[in-house]
Structure formats: C-alpha cells, structure tokens
Amino acid sequence: MHSFISHSSDLPAGTRFDWPSDGIAFGGDYNPEQWPEEVWREDVELMRRAGVTTVTVGVFSWGLLEVADGVYEWDRMDRVLDLLHANGIGVDLATPTAAPPVWLLQAHPEIAPVTETGVRYAQGGRLGWHPSSAVFRRYALRMVRALAERYGTHPAVRMWHVGNELGNENHRSYDPETAAAWRVWLERRYGDVETVNAAWGTEFWGHRVGSFAEIEPPRFSSTAHNPGLALDFARFTSDALLAHYEAERAVLREVTPRLPITTNFMVMNNPGTDDYARWAEEVDIVANDHYTIGSDPLRHRELSFSADRVRGMAGGRPWLLMEHSTSAVNWQSVNRAKSPGEMTRNSLAHVARGADGVLFFQWRASTAGAEQFHSGMVPHAGAETRQFREVTELGATLRALAEVQGSTVPRARVAILFDTEAAWAYTAARTPSDLVRIVDLPRAVHEALSARHIAVDVIRPQDDLTGYDVVVVPTLYLARDADAAKLAAHTASGAHVVVSYLSGVVDEHNRVRPGGYPGAFRELLGVHAEEFVPLFADESVALDDGSTATLWTERLVVTDAEVLARYADGDLAGLPALTRRTVGAGTASYLSARIDADALARLVQDLVERAGIAPIARADAGLEITRRVGADASYLFAINHDGEDRAVDTSGVDLVSGRAVAGRLVVPAGGVAVVREGANA
Ligand code: GAL
C-alpha cells in the first residue's frame, strides 16, 4: 500500500497516510441496508469477482444507526463491516450526517434550510439541514463521535467520508439563524459596517445600512440584489459548509488520528457552489464526484476539463474519483444509458488525469427510494448483464494498472486560470448576456489544447505561475489586483498570455473597474473596450481573418498593441477584435469576441508554438492523450473517443492488453491503452 502526503492544513506539513487500497481503488457506494442479508453474501461474492477493493458505507444511514435520540443500533453495521473485512474489501466509512433522521427533523424542524422565498424544507429529501444550525451541529457531532469510537479501529475502515456532497441540496439557506451567522461572518470580514457600505456601493438605491443587524441575506425581493452582497453570501455559504466539515473532521481526528479524512466535491460542468480549491486545503485526499450529461456530445471533453480542474485543486497530487455512474443517472430529463465502452473510457480518463481511484454511485441499483432508476455496478437485471461484465472487465484493467498508483501527471507548461469566486461574481450580477456561461470559454480552450495533445493545467489565478510558458485567462470575470500584477510580471518574464473578454471586469467586491474593460488587465494588454456588444443567439459577425464571432463582441480601443484581426461587418466593422502586445520577453494577447472553434484552436496553437511546447505524443486526432510519471516509469494513456481506430507513436508495454508496443500503437475504436513507456518496458 502506498502512502501519500495529506493536503489538510490542520496537520503538520508532510503528514502521511496509507492510500486506502493496494493499487487503484475500485468500488462504489455500498448501501446494504436496502437489502436482506442473503443479498449481502451475493454482493461480496460479486465484488470479489469484479475486483472491488473499496466501498463507501453508511452515507445516508443516520436514521438507521441512531434510531431515536441517543439510541444507537450498531448490529447491522457491525455485520456489514465484518463481512467486508472477511472478504478483503476496504471501507471508506461515511459519517451519516448528510441525511438527518426523521425523528430529528420532527423534533427540530429549525435545522432545515429555508428557501429564498421563505419556505422551510420539509422532510423527505436529504441534506435537510443548514450548516449554521447549532442544534444540527450538536446532534451531528454526537453521531460522528459515536461512530468513530465504535469503528475507528475496525480493520476494514481505511478512511473517512464526511457527509456527502456538502452544499448539494443545501447550498443556500435564508433562515434567521443563517442570517445571524452571516452577520458575524461579515463583521469578521469587514470590521465595521461603513466598510461594508463602501465595498458593496450601497449608495445605489439608497441601500445604506446603519449596523450589521440591518443586513439580511439576499432573500426573494422585487428585483436583483446588490452583486457585492450576493457574492459575499456565496462566499459565506461555502465557508459555513466548510466549517461544518471541519467540525466533523476535528472529532474524527481526535478519535482516529491515523485515518485519512475527505469529503466528496462536485466539480462538474458548472462553476460550483463551494469554493473547492479552498476546501482542498482541508481534506487529506481530494475526492470528486463527476457525472456526464448524456445529451452533451462532447461530454468526454467536459470530463477531461473537470478532471484537470480537480488535479489543479489537488496541487497535482493523486486524487480520488469518489462517484460516477456505470450507465444512466436518474436526474436528467432523458437519462441515456452509456454506450458500450463509455464507462471504461470515462473511468480511464479520470485515471489519466491523476485519479488513483475509480468509485461509483452505487454498487447495486436500488429498487425502492428516490434513485430507483439510477444505474449501479450491479443493475436491476443482475450480474449476467453487459453492464456487470463491463464492470468486471474494468476491475481487471485497473488491477493491471496497479503500478500506476502514486504516479502523477507532471506540471504542464500551459495553464488555464479558473476561479470559482470569479464565476460566482458573474452569476451574482445581472450581466450583459445570459447566453454567455462562465465555464464555456475555459472549456473550449481546454478542448482546443487537448485535441492537439497539449498538456494543460487548470489552476487558480492565486496559484504559482512558475513554469507556465502559456497562460490563458478565459472569462475570468473577477480579478484581484495582486493576481493581475502577478500575471503582468509573469508575462514580462517571457510568458505568452491571452486574456479574453469578460475578464478582470470587476474587483473582489464585484464592482466594475472603471476606465474600460478588461479593467484589471487593460495596461498589460494595451487595449480597452468602451462597450460590450453581445450578440443574439442567431447572430454572428465576421472577422477579417476569416473567423466568425458569436455571442460576444466589444468596441475595442487600442492604446499600445498590434491588431491581429478586425471586425469585418456589423456595428463594429473596421474596429480591432484581436490584439497582441509585446511585454518584456513575453506577449499579451486580447480576444474581444467569442470566435469559432477553429479560430480559437489557431490562436492557442500559435501561442503554444511561440513557446516551443510540444504535444505529449504524436497521435491522431480523436485520441485523448496524457502522461503520468512515477518513480520508476512513465505511462502514456491513450483513450479513443472515435468510431475509427486511431494511432499514437509510443513504445513499451500496453498494460491493458499486455502486448509489447514498438514505435506505434493502434488503439481500436472506443478502446483504451496505457503504455508503460520505454524500449525495454
Ligand atoms: C450524487 C450523490 C449520490 C447520488 C448520485 C446520483 O450527487 O452524491 O448520493 O445521489 O448523485 O447520480
């Protein structure tokens, strides 16, 4: 079993834990309480057949463990853990606090979140608590302590899983107790109320407040709330949820100092409701849940982007894919089954981008309850199915990749800057176009680079930029002064930087930086936009380099930059669209429009060539290529997302097929390969 260094700031730097499995962790959420005990015996038999190493147990089981206030029933959990241990399966034990028991909700309805329109959540769902509830905290920590004392030394237990997706169903609450906690948070952040007034610009509509007591959460009102207030409320909520995690962590740490602790993030195709890059500093292992959107034809690319975001949060270290699905989910409008091979490609793509575990929600598809039609590793139709056969094959593939565990994806030379706070700032305001979604351009840039097999990291603007010869700043709506200054210095030292529209528009209080957009980067770029000119859904504008803009254009003024392309028609005809300025040893380009995919690809390719960055390997389009590097070997991942066979130049041994590769590997349509590289590998 490998050891790994904890991320968590509550421990001395360099603290190590054992990785929860030998090799790559494989398994999923296991909810045996939904089944009679004879099914458990079949479960472990099938788990062994599939090569399951790790299961997450007890996620929503509070109501079954604490059956009445202070009355615990452990028998079933005892038997489950013993059975798993007897079968060599490790347990990621969840604190069951994600779903409060019915008796607690009945006795204390005030623990439930309240919507912005003032409706208290009723019982019947999950995450029916808000993190500012003192009563909830007291009950939750008592439960956590009881669980840790009972099972902290059980030999099956390898790690702790705090709650579940904190902030998923309970990502905002507008109840009076939350309002009080929000005021305390504001007082701590700003010191006095005049500073709050100044930061938010409460002169507007005469919204001045005379004391913290007069500040309310952004409840339902006649129109939009102040963007500074709304952004701070998002920050506060993320902090309140994190504080709940930290409170559970403190109990677990005290009782079981030798077990690693995590909670599962939700880094997917959205900005996110929690500031996970910040949360990553508080978990021992970064763990993520990822679900593809079946109707998105480019969902595998979204997956790669999300996985790279997670690796960025993990500081490049191995992380855990805590949940994904074997096939359909049950919460999209059409819950499309995954195509044959898609689950394996999805799983391997996470591993390719640094995951050392592939877990699913859930082991066995439920027959009762709200997730009846969600796929499982064992579907309703049982084990003699395509789905379970593919699960078993995946288990075998991951076993063959055991030596990859502990290797890492080397730091790339290209970085995309992405910041959750910046995304919140954008969604907290009424912005010029609802058609522009803040993850779209970062994702498109990531796609353009990945399609050319260029390694890329997705990091925060606050992170260290050393070694990034190309830095892309796509729709980074909010930029702090210090980060803008750092980017300018980094450019001058030789980096090639491209900043897009809707970047650096506001400061950390969500106030527009006056003097023209993109305020924070204006000087660096030698341009400013006088006016945003967003386009309607069916509109497009030609540029004189042959490309086309949709969704977004700007009236741009050049003060000190070379014009690379101009608008060719429409209101902006003849005005600059794309510029570049030489800054010291580097260059700073500005993209004022949402250009088509080919033009975007040419733009990034040009920067990559200027910086002399080579692809990870020479490979056909349609292959996803990454490399992980370990102490003794490096591993080339090639995932074929195409309907045709595709080739990559490499030599070594393909660990998936066991075959030697000399010079060139053909990856069959829809197939995967992981080559331990080297002539004698
Ligand atoms: C996740 C959640 C799981 C399950 C899954 C279904 O968000 O953590 O418990 O509900 O979604 O896709």
Side-chain angles (χ1 to χ4, degrees):
M1 205 173 284
H2 280 71
S3 67
F4 69 94
I5 294 177
S6 164
H7 296 249
S8 192
S9 78
D10 71 323
L11 292 173
T15 304
R16 284 184 169 273
F17 291 103
D18 287 336
W19 189 254
S21 63
D22 281 327
I24 293 174
F26 178 54
D29 280 26
Y30 181 41
N31 299 307
E33 56 279 3
Q34 298 175 12
W35 301 92
E37 221 156 315
E38 39 309 349
V39 176
W40 305 0
R41 279 182 285 279
E42 190 198 29
D43 285 336
V44 287
E45 197 273 309
L46 292 176
M47 284 181 193
R48 292 174 65 139
R49 217 201 287 174
V52 165
T53 66
T54 311
V55 290
T56 300
V57 175
V59 177
F60 300 107
S61 62
W62 189 351
L64 305 177
L65 292 174
E66 189 177 358
V67 292
D69 194 343
V71 181
Y72 299 99
E73 276 186 8
W74 302 113
D75 290 9
R76 177 171 24 206
M77 184 63 92
D78 289 352
R79 291 199 302 282
V80 169
L81 295 187
D82 290 349
L83 180 68
L84 290 166
H85 182 59
N87 285 276
I89 296 158
V91 169
D92 165 36
L93 187 57
T95 67
T97 51
V102 172
W103 59 259
L104 179 56
L105 286 163
Q106 293 268 333
H108 290 286
E110 75 279 12
I111 71 172
V114 168
T115 65
E116 57 183 335
T117 51
V119 178
R120 174 89 57 192
Y121 283 26
Q123 72 183 49
R126 59 178 179 179
L127 287 153
W129 53 274
H130 64 82
S132 305
S133 165
V135 170
F136 176 75
R137 180 73 57 85
R138 195 172 70 239
Y139 277 97
L141 296 189
R142 188 179 71 177
M143 178 67 238
V144 170
R145 183 172 294 278
L147 188 80
E149 283 171 351
R150 180 133 192 126
Y151 298 117
T153 55
H154 193 288
V157 177
R158 305 281 162 77
M159 66 184 285
W160 289 113
H161 177 295
V162 169
N164 192 63
E165 293 187 344
L166 303 183
N168 186 349
E169 285 91 348
N170 62 347
H171 74 281
R172 294 275 195 280
S173 184
Y174 301 82
D175 63 283
E177 205 176 358
T178 296
W182 149 242
R183 291 181 196 114
V184 171
W185 184 92
L186 286 169
E187 200 160 350
R188 215 172 283 146
R189 185 176 177 90
Y190 290 103
D192 60 82
V193 79
E194 277 321 318
T195 313
V196 180
N197 280 314
W200 292 350
T202 55
E203 294 80 5
F204 188 79
W205 286 345
H207 281 173
R208 245 187 121 262
V209 281
S211 68
F212 283 101
E214 287 180 11
I215 300 177
E216 296 289 348
R219 297 195 178 101
F220 181 74
S221 189
S222 54
T223 181
H225 277 280
N226 179 301
L229 180 153
L231 173 59
D232 272 338
F233 195 66
R235 289 175 171 135
F236 154 76
T237 305
S238 175
D239 286 356
L241 288 158
L242 179 62
H244 181 81
Y245 162 80
E246 287 173 344
E248 290 201 20
R249 182 187 64 183
V251 173
L252 297 171
R253 204 67 100 195
E254 180 198 324
V255 184
T256 64
R258 299 178 66 82
L259 286 176
I261 305 169
T262 193
T263 188
N264 42 347
F265 297 176
M266 297 172 282
V267 177
M268 290 180 230
N269 189 33
N270 54 43
T273 50
D274 299 321
D275 191 358
Y276 289 129
R278 155 92 190 81
W279 288 37
E281 295 160 14
E282 305 304 339
V283 293
D284 295 323
I285 303 175
V286 167
N288 193 48
D289 295 355
H290 186 275
Y291 291 91
T292 52
I293 303 296
S295 57
D296 178 356
L298 295 177
R299 55 193 178 275
H300 61 283
R301 297 207 166 158
E302 184 284 315
L303 184 160
S304 308
F305 175 57
S306 292
D308 279 351
R309 276 179 70 194
V310 177
R311 187 180 69 254
M313 293 170 188
R317 289 170 286 189
W319 50 279
L320 196 57
L321 175 64
M322 188 64 94
E323 288 182 24
H324 68 153
S325 68
T326 54
S327 191
V329 298
N330 72 333
W331 44 263
Q332 294 170 16
S333 59
V334 174
N335 294 293
R336 182 66 185 259
K338 287 189 179 175
S339 303
E342 187 173 353
M343 174 193 76
T344 301
R345 289 193 296 280
N346 290 169
S347 298
L348 268 276
H350 287 287
V351 177
R353 293 174 191 274
D356 270 354
V358 172
L359 308 185
F360 292 91
F361 176 85
Q362 61 179 332
W363 165 251
R364 193 182 271 279
S366 304
T367 56
E371 298 188 303
Q372 278 171 317
F373 295 107
H374 196 291
S375 59
M377 297 169 81
V378 182
H380 289 151
E384 300 311 319
T385 47
R386 172 197 76 78
Q387 225 167 297
F388 189 70
R389 273 192 295 279
E390 211 181 299
V391 164
T392 307
E393 283 161 19
L394 175 62
T397 298
L398 293 174
R399 265 199 311 283
L401 298 185
E403 64 180 78
V404 172
Q405 197 248 307
S407 65
T408 52
V409 177
R411 196 174 163 94
R413 289 177 60 196
V414 183
I416 293 175
L417 304 190
F418 188 91
D419 181 22
T420 306
E421 281 205 355
W424 290 344
Y426 186 71
T427 48
R430 278 182 165 179
T431 42
S433 172
D434 289 347
L435 300 180
V436 176
R437 289 176 312 149
I438 215 72
V439 292
D440 287 351
L441 188 63
R443 209 184 122 174
V445 171
H446 187 271
E447 276 175 28
L449 290 159
S450 304
R452 277 151 197 78
H453 313 308
I454 303 293
V456 52
D457 291 343
V458 185
I459 58 169
R460 286 183 301 181
Q462 304 91 300
D463 292 336
D464 180 12
L465 298 179
T466 312
Y468 292 115
D469 298 314
V470 171
V471 180
V472 187
V473 184
T475 57
L476 184 73
Y477 183 65
L478 177 155
R480 297 164 201 85
D481 291 347
D483 298 332
K486 188 176 66 175
L487 186 73
H490 187 64
T491 313
S493 73
H496 299 286
V497 169
V498 57
V499 177
S500 85
Y501 57 90
L502 280 175
S503 296
V505 173
V506 297
D507 65 12
E508 70 263 42
H509 300 303
N510 217 359
R511 296 184 65 145
V512 172
R513 292 171 175 277
Y517 323 112
F521 304 113
R522 223 167 35 217
E523 267 179 50
L524 169 67
L525 298 161
V527 298
H528 66 266
E530 289 182 357
E531 197 176 18
F532 296 145
V533 188
L535 304 179
F536 292 115
D538 54 357
E539 266 187 300
S540 66
V541 165
L543 270 61
D544 67 2
D545 63 356
S547 60
T548 307
T550 52
L551 299 177
W552 195 270
T553 59
E554 286 175 353
R555 180 174 293 277
L556 194 63
V557 176
V558 171
T559 44
D560 174 21
E562 183 191 342
V563 177
L564 301 180
R566 291 179 182 274
Y567 292 104
D569 58 23
D571 287 353
L572 304 176
L575 295 179
L578 178 59
T579 63
R580 184 170 56 219
R581 176 169 178 245
T582 302
V583 182
T587 62
S589 303
Y590 184 62
L591 175 63
S592 71
R594 176 67 155 102
I595 50 176
D596 61 84
D598 288 346
L600 192 62
R602 283 196 300 276
L603 176 67
V604 294
Q605 182 66 24
D606 176 58
L607 297 176
V608 161
E609 278 169 17
R610 277 165 182 272
I613 299 171
I616 300 165
R618 238 200 15 221
D620 291 343
L623 282 183
E624 177 174 353
I625 301 285
T626 68
R627 178 175 285 117
R628 291 182 59 159
V629 177
D632 307 318
S634 65
Y635 305 93
L636 186 93
F637 284 71
I639 303 172
N640 187 343
H641 295 286
D642 243 5
E644 306 283 330
D645 293 359
R646 297 289 177 214
V648 52
D649 289 358
T650 178
S651 293
V653 173
D654 175 10
L655 300 175
V656 176
S657 67
R659 289 201 200 100
V661 183
R664 190 162 181 272
L665 171 71
V666 176
V667 186
V672 295
V674 182
V675 177
R676 187 206 293 129
E677 296 174 302
N680 309 312

